[in-house]
Amino acid sequence: MTVWKVAKDMNSFRTSGIHNIARKFFSWVFYSGKVQSYFLTWKANGYIPTYEESAEIVTIYGRHFDRGKLVRKAQQPNDFNKNPS
């Protein structure tokens, strides 16, 4: 999990430099084996959730892939506060 003040900075980091190289290099992990992955970007609205809260949010609302195949599209959490459930 990362927290960014400026959303464009996160996108720039993700698609450039060593992070982009690593993303491409490790794509074989994503598309092989029994990998379950979740991805979600959302605006925190002044509250940065804990790791546990973030894991719950991304599992509930995130884009879900099973062995590299899209299972569910992402949804935005509604005004997340300290209780996402």
Side-chain angles (χ1 to χ4, degrees):
M1 179 177 95
T2 59
V3 178
W4 298 80
K5 288 183 179 184
V6 180
K8 289 181 182 179
D9 291 346
M10 185 275 296
N11 287 328
S12 178
F13 170 76
R14 184 184 65 201
T15 58
S16 64
I18 196 69
H19 186 270
N20 194 43
I21 293 168
R23 233 172 28 111
K24 291 175 182 177
F25 179 76
F26 288 108
S27 66
W28 61 271
V29 172
F30 182 67
Y31 290 105
S32 63
K34 296 182 180 180
V35 176
Q36 299 287 317
S37 55
Y38 299 87
F39 300 92
L40 182 64
T41 301
W42 78 93
K43 189 170 182 175
N45 294 325
Y47 174 74
I48 299 172
T50 65
Y51 175 82
E52 292 79 13
E53 291 167 333
S54 298
E56 183 177 358
I57 293 167
V58 76
T59 302
I60 294 169
Y61 298 103
R63 215 172 4 148
H64 177 207
F65 290 86
D66 181 358
R67 301 176 190 192
K69 294 183 181 179
L70 181 63
V71 175
R72 180 188 68 221
K73 293 182 179 180
Q75 301 171 2
Q76 287 297 304
N78 296 329
D79 295 325
F80 173 76
N81 55 35
K82 292 186 180 183
N83 185 7
S85 301

